[in-house]
Amino acid sequence: GDFEMEPIAGATLVDFSQELLDEYIKLRAERTGRKINNNLQEHLVNIGAMLDDGTPTVAGLLLFGKNPQIFLPQSGVVFVKFHGKEARGRDGLAGYGRRVEIEGPLARIIERAWTLVNEEMRVEAVVNGLRREEKPEYPPFAVREALVNAVCHRDYRLSGRRVEIRMYEDRLEVISPGGLPGYITLDNIVDEHFSRNPRLVAGLFRWGYIEELGLGIDRMIEEMLENGHAAPAFDAKPYSFTVRLPNAIE
């Protein structure tokens, strides 16, 4: 079935954040040039955020909910920064320097995840001719794309599994619950575009979080190579999909 459109038992209009709805409407009008003149509830029903009887859907709460994790605990994200190249510490000590659980609606989760990765990225000074340039550990576009993709395309039916962002000394991994959706394979991932959650993707697109649908992976690879990194690696398992960005900073 279409999990995005499942009603959330016990949720009502009160669980939507007015602030988020206002922001979405404003940004959507700027982006599409169309105002939502008719009533908001009608619009929410049209985009699949709500059913006719006023019950929020999975997609609706993930996009506009004050605290979607109350109803969908699996929709949070875990950020972990490890000291070394392994997930475990030396001498049996905890191997991580920082662990943050990120909650909220998807737009806020993406922002917070991006801020955390950005804070933890090392910056290298590169001398280019006579200019000294600051070069971040990972190209920002590639990082952002990996985060947005993980949140957009994960399988929200898998309860008990959250997106994980793992920063190691030598790489950044974004692990998304759920195998590759539909007919997507590692061979056609660059050319094909298939979304498991089309309403979430459309919502975040209208919000401005996603630029061009389907160009992301291509550009992610390009940005990595242009910035002197190895290409990203993709690892598909039946219940998870991992994007691995190697860093080029020695």
Side-chain angles (χ1 to χ4, degrees), residues 185-233:
T185 63
L186 285 178
D187 297 324
N188 72 9
I189 192 167
V190 173
D191 311 308
E192 294 287 347
H193 188 74
F194 175 94
S195 177
R196 180 186 274 127
N197 308 308
R199 288 178 186 84
L200 288 180
V201 169
L204 289 169
F205 179 68
R206 285 189 290 253
W207 211 297
Y209 277 90
I210 304 171
E211 279 315 310
E212 285 296 324
L213 296 180
L215 289 185
I217 298 266
D218 253 7
R219 230 188 103 192
M220 184 197 287
I221 296 170
E222 232 166 76
E223 292 270 322
M224 288 291 284
L225 297 174
E226 277 172 16
N227 284 280
H229 294 254

mmCIF file of all heavy atoms in Angstrom, residues 185-233:
data_model
loop_
_atom_site.group_PDB
_atom_site.id
_atom_site.type_symbol
_atom_site.label_atom_id
_atom_site.label_comp_id
_atom_site.label_asym_id
_atom_site.label_seq_id
_atom_site.Cartn_x
_atom_site.Cartn_y
_atom_site.Cartn_z
ATOM 1 N N THR A 185 18.607 0.204 -9.140
ATOM 2 C CA THR A 185 19.732 -0.681 -8.805
ATOM 3 C C THR A 185 20.976 0.186 -8.728
ATOM 4 O O THR A 185 20.958 1.363 -9.111
ATOM 5 C CB THR A 185 19.960 -1.720 -9.923
ATOM 6 O OG1 THR A 185 20.331 -1.007 -11.120
ATOM 7 C CG2 THR A 185 18.724 -2.552 -10.188
ATOM 8 N N LEU A 186 22.082 -0.386 -8.257
ATOM 9 C CA LEU A 186 23.323 0.389 -8.207
ATOM 10 C C LEU A 186 23.778 0.765 -9.617
ATOM 11 O O LEU A 186 24.482 1.741 -9.809
ATOM 12 C CB LEU A 186 24.418 -0.406 -7.493
ATOM 13 C CG LEU A 186 24.275 -0.476 -5.970
ATOM 14 C CD1 LEU A 186 25.372 -1.331 -5.371
ATOM 15 C CD2 LEU A 186 24.293 0.912 -5.344
ATOM 16 N N ASP A 187 23.353 -0.027 -10.630
ATOM 17 C CA ASP A 187 23.785 0.277 -11.999
ATOM 18 C C ASP A 187 23.015 1.436 -12.611
ATOM 19 O O ASP A 187 23.537 2.171 -13.434
ATOM 20 C CB ASP A 187 23.602 -0.957 -12.898
ATOM 21 C CG ASP A 187 24.479 -2.108 -12.421
ATOM 22 O OD1 ASP A 187 25.605 -1.818 -11.962
ATOM 23 O OD2 ASP A 187 24.038 -3.267 -12.488
ATOM 24 N N ASN A 188 21.740 1.591 -12.247
ATOM 25 C CA ASN A 188 20.961 2.636 -12.915
ATOM 26 C C ASN A 188 20.657 3.832 -12.019
ATOM 27 O O ASN A 188 19.922 4.734 -12.399
ATOM 28 C CB ASN A 188 19.665 2.061 -13.504
ATOM 29 C CG ASN A 188 18.633 1.698 -12.428
ATOM 30 O OD1 ASN A 188 18.791 2.021 -11.256
ATOM 31 N ND2 ASN A 188 17.579 1.029 -12.834
ATOM 32 N N ILE A 189 21.255 3.857 -10.822
ATOM 33 C CA ILE A 189 20.889 4.882 -9.831
ATOM 34 C C ILE A 189 21.114 6.302 -10.358
ATOM 35 O O ILE A 189 20.379 7.229 -10.030
ATOM 36 C CB ILE A 189 21.666 4.662 -8.512
ATOM 37 C CG1 ILE A 189 21.079 5.517 -7.399
ATOM 38 C CG2 ILE A 189 23.158 4.904 -8.656
ATOM 39 C CD1 ILE A 189 21.565 5.142 -6.020
ATOM 40 N N VAL A 190 22.130 6.476 -11.220
ATOM 41 C CA VAL A 190 22.421 7.822 -11.722
ATOM 42 C C VAL A 190 21.387 8.257 -12.753
ATOM 43 O O VAL A 190 21.003 9.415 -12.815
ATOM 44 C CB VAL A 190 23.849 7.877 -12.319
ATOM 45 C CG1 VAL A 190 24.096 9.209 -12.984
ATOM 46 C CG2 VAL A 190 24.870 7.649 -11.205
ATOM 47 N N ASP A 191 20.915 7.312 -13.564
ATOM 48 C CA ASP A 191 20.030 7.690 -14.673
ATOM 49 C C ASP A 191 18.555 7.642 -14.338
ATOM 50 O O ASP A 191 17.754 8.374 -14.893
ATOM 51 C CB ASP A 191 20.253 6.748 -15.861
ATOM 52 C CG ASP A 191 21.734 6.609 -16.170
ATOM 53 O OD1 ASP A 191 22.362 7.665 -16.325
ATOM 54 O OD2 ASP A 191 22.243 5.484 -16.220
ATOM 55 N N GLU A 192 18.201 6.748 -13.425
ATOM 56 C CA GLU A 192 16.783 6.547 -13.159
ATOM 57 C C GLU A 192 16.341 7.408 -11.990
ATOM 58 O O GLU A 192 17.132 7.723 -11.121
ATOM 59 C CB GLU A 192 16.524 5.085 -12.796
ATOM 60 C CG GLU A 192 16.771 4.125 -13.932
ATOM 61 C CD GLU A 192 15.689 4.190 -15.001
ATOM 62 O OE1 GLU A 192 14.632 4.791 -14.731
ATOM 63 O OE2 GLU A 192 15.906 3.650 -16.088
ATOM 64 N N HIS A 193 15.082 7.765 -11.990
ATOM 65 C CA HIS A 193 14.592 8.444 -10.804
ATOM 66 C C HIS A 193 13.291 7.806 -10.354
ATOM 67 O O HIS A 193 12.320 7.801 -11.072
ATOM 68 C CB HIS A 193 14.379 9.932 -11.042
ATOM 69 C CG HIS A 193 14.056 10.620 -9.763
ATOM 70 N ND1 HIS A 193 15.011 10.852 -8.803
ATOM 71 C CD2 HIS A 193 12.898 11.044 -9.236
ATOM 72 C CE1 HIS A 193 14.441 11.402 -7.750
ATOM 73 N NE2 HIS A 193 13.148 11.526 -7.983
ATOM 74 N N PHE A 194 13.341 7.273 -9.176
ATOM 75 C CA PHE A 194 12.139 6.621 -8.647
ATOM 76 C C PHE A 194 12.062 7.017 -7.193
ATOM 77 O O PHE A 194 13.052 6.967 -6.490
ATOM 78 C CB PHE A 194 12.272 5.100 -8.755
ATOM 79 C CG PHE A 194 11.130 4.351 -8.115
ATOM 80 C CD1 PHE A 194 10.038 3.958 -8.869
ATOM 81 C CD2 PHE A 194 11.136 4.054 -6.757
ATOM 82 C CE1 PHE A 194 8.980 3.266 -8.280
ATOM 83 C CE2 PHE A 194 10.085 3.365 -6.157
ATOM 84 C CZ PHE A 194 9.005 2.969 -6.936
ATOM 85 N N SER A 195 10.914 7.420 -6.759
ATOM 86 C CA SER A 195 10.829 7.787 -5.363
ATOM 87 C C SER A 195 9.837 6.928 -4.625
ATOM 88 O O SER A 195 8.727 6.717 -5.075
ATOM 89 C CB SER A 195 10.438 9.251 -5.220
ATOM 90 O OG SER A 195 10.303 9.525 -3.850
ATOM 91 N N ARG A 196 10.261 6.451 -3.458
ATOM 92 C CA ARG A 196 9.376 5.666 -2.621
ATOM 93 C C ARG A 196 8.344 6.581 -1.971
ATOM 94 O O ARG A 196 7.253 6.160 -1.637
ATOM 95 C CB ARG A 196 10.243 4.980 -1.557
ATOM 96 C CG ARG A 196 9.488 4.113 -0.599
ATOM 97 C CD ARG A 196 10.441 3.615 0.483
ATOM 98 N NE ARG A 196 11.142 2.405 0.079
ATOM 99 C CZ ARG A 196 12.466 2.248 0.102
ATOM 100 N NH1 ARG A 196 13.241 3.229 0.491
ATOM 101 N NH2 ARG A 196 13.015 1.124 -0.261
ATOM 102 N N ASN A 197 8.723 7.837 -1.755
ATOM 103 C CA ASN A 197 7.862 8.788 -1.044
ATOM 104 C C ASN A 197 7.611 10.041 -1.885
ATOM 105 O O ASN A 197 8.095 11.124 -1.555
ATOM 106 C CB ASN A 197 8.543 9.202 0.278
ATOM 107 C CG ASN A 197 8.978 8.001 1.115
ATOM 108 O OD1 ASN A 197 8.196 7.102 1.380
ATOM 109 N ND2 ASN A 197 10.223 7.992 1.528
ATOM 110 N N PRO A 198 6.862 9.909 -2.988
ATOM 111 C CA PRO A 198 6.713 11.044 -3.903
ATOM 112 C C PRO A 198 6.130 12.292 -3.249
ATOM 113 O O PRO A 198 6.476 13.409 -3.616
ATOM 114 C CB PRO A 198 5.803 10.521 -5.009
ATOM 115 C CG PRO A 198 5.207 9.257 -4.498
ATOM 116 C CD PRO A 198 6.143 8.713 -3.470
ATOM 117 N N ARG A 199 5.252 12.124 -2.250
ATOM 118 C CA ARG A 199 4.649 13.316 -1.634
ATOM 119 C C ARG A 199 5.639 14.055 -0.752
ATOM 120 O O ARG A 199 5.632 15.280 -0.688
ATOM 121 C CB ARG A 199 3.405 12.934 -0.847
ATOM 122 C CG ARG A 199 2.265 12.569 -1.771
ATOM 123 C CD ARG A 199 1.030 12.131 -1.032
ATOM 124 N NE ARG A 199 0.030 11.669 -1.992
ATOM 125 C CZ ARG A 199 0.001 10.439 -2.492
ATOM 126 N NH1 ARG A 199 0.912 9.551 -2.137
ATOM 127 N NH2 ARG A 199 -0.927 10.102 -3.356
ATOM 128 N N LEU A 200 6.491 13.308 -0.077
ATOM 129 C CA LEU A 200 7.536 13.966 0.724
ATOM 130 C C LEU A 200 8.487 14.714 -0.200
ATOM 131 O O LEU A 200 8.880 15.847 0.070
ATOM 132 C CB LEU A 200 8.341 12.928 1.523
ATOM 133 C CG LEU A 200 7.645 12.262 2.694
ATOM 134 C CD1 LEU A 200 8.602 11.274 3.366
ATOM 135 C CD2 LEU A 200 7.173 13.302 3.710
ATOM 136 N N VAL A 201 8.859 14.050 -1.289
ATOM 137 C CA VAL A 201 9.783 14.661 -2.240
ATOM 138 C C VAL A 201 9.167 15.935 -2.818
ATOM 139 O O VAL A 201 9.809 16.984 -2.868
ATOM 140 C CB VAL A 201 10.143 13.658 -3.360
ATOM 141 C CG1 VAL A 201 10.886 14.341 -4.488
ATOM 142 C CG2 VAL A 201 10.996 12.522 -2.787
ATOM 143 N N ALA A 202 7.891 15.854 -3.204
ATOM 144 C CA ALA A 202 7.225 17.030 -3.774
ATOM 145 C C ALA A 202 7.139 18.151 -2.744
ATOM 146 O O ALA A 202 7.367 19.320 -3.056
ATOM 147 C CB ALA A 202 5.828 16.655 -4.264
ATOM 148 N N GLY A 203 6.822 17.796 -1.506
ATOM 149 C CA GLY A 203 6.726 18.803 -0.450
ATOM 150 C C GLY A 203 8.053 19.499 -0.221
ATOM 151 O O GLY A 203 8.128 20.733 -0.163
ATOM 152 N N LEU A 204 9.125 18.733 -0.122
ATOM 153 C CA LEU A 204 10.446 19.326 0.131
ATOM 154 C C LEU A 204 10.942 20.089 -1.097
ATOM 155 O O LEU A 204 11.679 21.062 -0.989
ATOM 156 C CB LEU A 204 11.446 18.255 0.553
ATOM 157 C CG LEU A 204 11.189 17.695 1.962
ATOM 158 C CD1 LEU A 204 12.037 16.462 2.226
ATOM 159 C CD2 LEU A 204 11.451 18.738 3.041
ATOM 160 N N PHE A 205 10.504 19.650 -2.279
ATOM 161 C CA PHE A 205 10.855 20.362 -3.508
ATOM 162 C C PHE A 205 10.204 21.745 -3.508
ATOM 163 O O PHE A 205 10.838 22.758 -3.766
ATOM 164 C CB PHE A 205 10.409 19.550 -4.727
ATOM 165 C CG PHE A 205 10.701 20.223 -6.039
ATOM 166 C CD1 PHE A 205 12.009 20.385 -6.470
ATOM 167 C CD2 PHE A 205 9.679 20.695 -6.840
ATOM 168 C CE1 PHE A 205 12.298 21.015 -7.676
ATOM 169 C CE2 PHE A 205 9.948 21.306 -8.052
ATOM 170 C CZ PHE A 205 11.260 21.473 -8.469
ATOM 171 N N ARG A 206 8.902 21.770 -3.173
ATOM 172 C CA ARG A 206 8.202 23.063 -3.151
ATOM 173 C C ARG A 206 8.747 23.953 -2.054
ATOM 174 O O ARG A 206 8.666 25.170 -2.119
ATOM 175 C CB ARG A 206 6.696 22.834 -2.958
ATOM 176 C CG ARG A 206 6.027 22.312 -4.223
ATOM 177 C CD ARG A 206 4.522 22.292 -4.092
ATOM 178 N NE ARG A 206 4.081 21.278 -3.161
ATOM 179 C CZ ARG A 206 3.480 20.144 -3.513
ATOM 180 N NH1 ARG A 206 3.259 19.877 -4.777
ATOM 181 N NH2 ARG A 206 3.103 19.285 -2.602
ATOM 182 N N TRP A 207 9.307 23.331 -1.040
ATOM 183 C CA TRP A 207 9.897 24.066 0.079
ATOM 184 C C TRP A 207 11.228 24.692 -0.336
ATOM 185 O O TRP A 207 11.707 25.641 0.238
ATOM 186 C CB TRP A 207 10.166 23.066 1.197
ATOM 187 C CG TRP A 207 10.069 23.591 2.571
ATOM 188 C CD1 TRP A 207 10.856 24.565 3.131
ATOM 189 C CD2 TRP A 207 9.165 23.180 3.592
ATOM 190 N NE1 TRP A 207 10.496 24.748 4.438
ATOM 191 C CE2 TRP A 207 9.454 23.915 4.746
ATOM 192 C CE3 TRP A 207 8.146 22.239 3.642
ATOM 193 C CZ2 TRP A 207 8.764 23.753 5.939
ATOM 194 C CZ3 TRP A 207 7.467 22.081 4.830
ATOM 195 C CH2 TRP A 207 7.769 22.841 5.963
ATOM 196 N N GLY A 208 11.867 24.041 -1.340
ATOM 197 C CA GLY A 208 13.158 24.549 -1.793
ATOM 198 C C GLY A 208 14.335 23.753 -1.266
ATOM 199 O O GLY A 208 15.484 24.141 -1.434
ATOM 200 N N TYR A 209 14.071 22.610 -0.631
ATOM 201 C CA TYR A 209 15.176 21.799 -0.123
ATOM 202 C C TYR A 209 15.819 20.972 -1.211
ATOM 203 O O TYR A 209 16.949 20.543 -1.113
ATOM 204 C CB TYR A 209 14.694 20.854 0.988
ATOM 205 C CG TYR A 209 14.642 21.571 2.283
ATOM 206 C CD1 TYR A 209 13.498 22.233 2.684
ATOM 207 C CD2 TYR A 209 15.768 21.658 3.083
ATOM 208 C CE1 TYR A 209 13.460 22.941 3.847
ATOM 209 C CE2 TYR A 209 15.742 22.371 4.256
ATOM 210 C CZ TYR A 209 14.582 23.013 4.635
ATOM 211 O OH TYR A 209 14.569 23.727 5.777
ATOM 212 N N ILE A 210 15.040 20.683 -2.238
ATOM 213 C CA ILE A 210 15.552 19.854 -3.315
ATOM 214 C C ILE A 210 15.531 20.734 -4.543
ATOM 215 O O ILE A 210 14.526 21.361 -4.829
ATOM 216 C CB ILE A 210 14.629 18.642 -3.543
ATOM 217 C CG1 ILE A 210 14.473 17.879 -2.242
ATOM 218 C CG2 ILE A 210 15.166 17.748 -4.640
ATOM 219 C CD1 ILE A 210 13.409 16.808 -2.310
ATOM 220 N N GLU A 211 16.627 20.784 -5.246
ATOM 221 C CA GLU A 211 16.651 21.641 -6.422
ATOM 222 C C GLU A 211 16.021 20.926 -7.599
ATOM 223 O O GLU A 211 14.851 20.984 -7.825
ATOM 224 C CB GLU A 211 18.083 22.078 -6.724
ATOM 225 C CG GLU A 211 18.519 23.244 -5.841
ATOM 226 C CD GLU A 211 17.454 24.355 -5.719
ATOM 227 O OE1 GLU A 211 16.940 24.806 -6.755
ATOM 228 O OE2 GLU A 211 17.118 24.739 -4.599
ATOM 229 N N GLU A 212 16.835 20.208 -8.332
ATOM 230 C CA GLU A 212 16.290 19.510 -9.488
ATOM 231 C C GLU A 212 16.099 18.056 -9.119
ATOM 232 O O GLU A 212 17.039 17.405 -8.694
ATOM 233 C CB GLU A 212 17.264 19.617 -10.661
ATOM 234 C CG GLU A 212 17.261 20.984 -11.313
ATOM 235 C CD GLU A 212 15.923 21.297 -11.950
ATOM 236 O OE1 GLU A 212 15.290 20.370 -12.479
ATOM 237 O OE2 GLU A 212 15.514 22.450 -11.889
ATOM 238 N N LEU A 213 14.927 17.543 -9.304
ATOM 239 C CA LEU A 213 14.704 16.152 -8.944
ATOM 240 C C LEU A 213 15.539 15.249 -9.847
ATOM 241 O O LEU A 213 15.548 15.401 -11.051
ATOM 242 C CB LEU A 213 13.228 15.803 -9.103
ATOM 243 C CG LEU A 213 12.317 16.577 -8.156
ATOM 244 C CD1 LEU A 213 10.883 16.173 -8.374
ATOM 245 C CD2 LEU A 213 12.701 16.327 -6.715
ATOM 246 N N GLY A 214 16.241 14.324 -9.229
ATOM 247 C CA GLY A 214 16.949 13.320 -10.017
ATOM 248 C C GLY A 214 18.344 13.699 -10.453
ATOM 249 O O GLY A 214 19.075 12.877 -10.965
ATOM 250 N N LEU A 215 18.752 14.968 -10.280
ATOM 251 C CA LEU A 215 20.108 15.329 -10.699
ATOM 252 C C LEU A 215 21.114 15.114 -9.588
ATOM 253 O O LEU A 215 22.304 15.201 -9.777
ATOM 254 C CB LEU A 215 20.174 16.818 -11.088
ATOM 255 C CG LEU A 215 19.476 17.195 -12.382
ATOM 256 C CD1 LEU A 215 19.721 18.656 -12.692
ATOM 257 C CD2 LEU A 215 19.988 16.336 -13.528
ATOM 258 N N GLY A 216 20.588 14.848 -8.404
ATOM 259 C CA GLY A 216 21.442 14.854 -7.230
ATOM 260 C C GLY A 216 22.652 13.953 -7.265
ATOM 261 O O GLY A 216 23.769 14.382 -7.021
ATOM 262 N N ILE A 217 22.434 12.669 -7.586
ATOM 263 C CA ILE A 217 23.528 11.698 -7.499
ATOM 264 C C ILE A 217 24.640 12.049 -8.493
ATOM 265 O O ILE A 217 25.814 12.023 -8.170
ATOM 266 C CB ILE A 217 22.996 10.264 -7.757
ATOM 267 C CG1 ILE A 217 21.974 9.880 -6.688
ATOM 268 C CG2 ILE A 217 24.129 9.268 -7.838
ATOM 269 C CD1 ILE A 217 22.472 9.127 -5.498
ATOM 270 N N ASP A 218 24.204 12.419 -9.700
ATOM 271 C CA ASP A 218 25.149 12.866 -10.723
ATOM 272 C C ASP A 218 26.051 13.955 -10.215
ATOM 273 O O ASP A 218 27.265 13.912 -10.351
ATOM 274 C CB ASP A 218 24.344 13.525 -11.866
ATOM 275 C CG ASP A 218 24.318 12.626 -13.067
ATOM 276 O OD1 ASP A 218 24.791 11.500 -12.929
ATOM 277 O OD2 ASP A 218 23.831 13.061 -14.120
ATOM 278 N N ARG A 219 25.401 14.991 -9.662
ATOM 279 C CA ARG A 219 26.163 16.163 -9.245
ATOM 280 C C ARG A 219 27.001 15.859 -8.016
ATOM 281 O O ARG A 219 28.081 16.410 -7.833
ATOM 282 C CB ARG A 219 25.211 17.334 -8.987
ATOM 283 C CG ARG A 219 25.674 18.590 -9.708
ATOM 284 C CD ARG A 219 24.858 19.783 -9.320
ATOM 285 N NE ARG A 219 25.594 20.615 -8.384
ATOM 286 C CZ ARG A 219 25.047 21.603 -7.700
ATOM 287 N NH1 ARG A 219 23.765 21.851 -7.839
ATOM 288 N NH2 ARG A 219 25.764 22.336 -6.876
ATOM 289 N N MET A 220 26.499 14.958 -7.181
ATOM 290 C CA MET A 220 27.255 14.562 -5.992
ATOM 291 C C MET A 220 28.596 13.954 -6.418
ATOM 292 O O MET A 220 29.662 14.295 -5.902
ATOM 293 C CB MET A 220 26.451 13.529 -5.196
ATOM 294 C CG MET A 220 27.088 13.122 -3.893
ATOM 295 S SD MET A 220 26.368 11.581 -3.242
ATOM 296 C CE MET A 220 24.780 12.119 -2.683
ATOM 297 N N ILE A 221 28.537 13.061 -7.411
ATOM 298 C CA ILE A 221 29.752 12.400 -7.905
ATOM 299 C C ILE A 221 30.699 13.437 -8.503
ATOM 300 O O ILE A 221 31.895 13.465 -8.212
ATOM 301 C CB ILE A 221 29.380 11.312 -8.950
ATOM 302 C CG1 ILE A 221 28.549 10.200 -8.271
ATOM 303 C CG2 ILE A 221 30.633 10.726 -9.597
ATOM 304 C CD1 ILE A 221 27.910 9.200 -9.231
ATOM 305 N N GLU A 222 30.130 14.324 -9.320
ATOM 306 C CA GLU A 222 30.914 15.381 -9.966
ATOM 307 C C GLU A 222 31.637 16.260 -8.949
ATOM 308 O O GLU A 222 32.817 16.538 -9.083
ATOM 309 C CB GLU A 222 29.947 16.277 -10.755
ATOM 310 C CG GLU A 222 30.315 16.509 -12.176
ATOM 311 C CD GLU A 222 29.109 17.118 -12.906
ATOM 312 O OE1 GLU A 222 28.855 18.322 -12.708
ATOM 313 O OE2 GLU A 222 28.419 16.375 -13.629
ATOM 314 N N GLU A 223 30.875 16.718 -7.938
ATOM 315 C CA GLU A 223 31.449 17.607 -6.914
ATOM 316 C C GLU A 223 32.590 16.934 -6.167
ATOM 317 O O GLU A 223 33.588 17.554 -5.843
ATOM 318 C CB GLU A 223 30.378 17.981 -5.876
ATOM 319 C CG GLU A 223 29.278 18.852 -6.403
ATOM 320 C CD GLU A 223 29.581 20.336 -6.254
ATOM 321 O OE1 GLU A 223 30.170 20.733 -5.234
ATOM 322 O OE2 GLU A 223 29.250 21.087 -7.186
ATOM 323 N N MET A 224 32.411 15.655 -5.872
ATOM 324 C CA MET A 224 33.461 14.930 -5.150
ATOM 325 C C MET A 224 34.729 14.881 -6.004
ATOM 326 O O MET A 224 35.819 15.200 -5.541
ATOM 327 C CB MET A 224 32.988 13.516 -4.810
ATOM 328 C CG MET A 224 31.924 13.458 -3.721
ATOM 329 S SD MET A 224 32.524 13.906 -2.061
ATOM 330 C CE MET A 224 33.426 12.406 -1.603
ATOM 331 N N LEU A 225 34.574 14.496 -7.262
ATOM 332 C CA LEU A 225 35.742 14.360 -8.139
ATOM 333 C C LEU A 225 36.407 15.717 -8.401
ATOM 334 O O LEU A 225 37.626 15.837 -8.347
ATOM 335 C CB LEU A 225 35.343 13.683 -9.454
ATOM 336 C CG LEU A 225 34.817 12.244 -9.303
ATOM 337 C CD1 LEU A 225 34.318 11.699 -10.631
ATOM 338 C CD2 LEU A 225 35.883 11.319 -8.714
ATOM 339 N N GLU A 226 35.583 16.745 -8.641
ATOM 340 C CA GLU A 226 36.150 18.074 -8.913
ATOM 341 C C GLU A 226 36.931 18.624 -7.731
ATOM 342 O O GLU A 226 37.826 19.428 -7.891
ATOM 343 C CB GLU A 226 35.035 19.069 -9.267
ATOM 344 C CG GLU A 226 34.617 19.006 -10.716
ATOM 345 C CD GLU A 226 33.384 19.858 -10.985
ATOM 346 O OE1 GLU A 226 33.044 20.715 -10.137
ATOM 347 O OE2 GLU A 226 32.766 19.659 -12.048
ATOM 348 N N ASN A 227 36.548 18.193 -6.527
ATOM 349 C CA ASN A 227 37.221 18.700 -5.344
ATOM 350 C C ASN A 227 38.356 17.784 -4.867
ATOM 351 O O ASN A 227 38.799 17.871 -3.726
ATOM 352 C CB ASN A 227 36.212 18.926 -4.220
ATOM 353 C CG ASN A 227 35.396 20.194 -4.466
ATOM 354 O OD1 ASN A 227 35.856 21.290 -4.203
ATOM 355 N ND2 ASN A 227 34.199 20.029 -5.003
ATOM 356 N N GLY A 228 38.778 16.898 -5.754
ATOM 357 C CA GLY A 228 39.932 16.067 -5.439
ATOM 358 C C GLY A 228 39.654 14.895 -4.521
ATOM 359 O O GLY A 228 40.559 14.340 -3.903
ATOM 360 N N HIS A 229 38.397 14.491 -4.422
ATOM 361 C CA HIS A 229 38.039 13.335 -3.598
ATOM 362 C C HIS A 229 37.901 12.105 -4.486
ATOM 363 O O HIS A 229 37.742 12.223 -5.694
ATOM 364 C CB HIS A 229 36.680 13.560 -2.914
ATOM 365 C CG HIS A 229 36.683 14.667 -1.916
ATOM 366 N ND1 HIS A 229 36.667 14.447 -0.564
ATOM 367 C CD2 HIS A 229 36.697 16.008 -2.078
ATOM 368 C CE1 HIS A 229 36.666 15.608 0.074
ATOM 369 N NE2 HIS A 229 36.683 16.564 -0.818
ATOM 370 N N ALA A 230 37.894 10.952 -3.845
ATOM 371 C CA ALA A 230 37.473 9.754 -4.572
ATOM 372 C C ALA A 230 35.962 9.874 -4.762
ATOM 373 O O ALA A 230 35.296 10.622 -4.041
ATOM 374 C CB ALA A 230 37.813 8.520 -3.753
ATOM 375 N N ALA A 231 35.425 9.129 -5.716
ATOM 376 C CA ALA A 231 33.976 9.165 -5.946
ATOM 377 C C ALA A 231 33.260 8.586 -4.728
ATOM 378 O O ALA A 231 33.815 7.763 -4.012
ATOM 379 C CB ALA A 231 33.634 8.355 -7.181
ATOM 380 N N PRO A 232 32.018 9.014 -4.495
ATOM 381 C CA PRO A 232 31.265 8.410 -3.398
ATOM 382 C C PRO A 232 31.029 6.925 -3.684
ATOM 383 O O PRO A 232 30.959 6.520 -4.839
ATOM 384 C CB PRO A 232 29.937 9.171 -3.397
ATOM 385 C CG PRO A 232 29.921 10.026 -4.600
ATOM 386 C CD PRO A 232 31.265 10.037 -5.214
ATOM 387 N N ALA A 233 30.911 6.153 -2.621
ATOM 388 C CA ALA A 233 30.599 4.733 -2.786
ATOM 389 C C ALA A 233 29.168 4.514 -2.321
ATOM 390 O O ALA A 233 28.711 5.144 -1.373
ATOM 391 C CB ALA A 233 31.561 3.900 -1.941
#
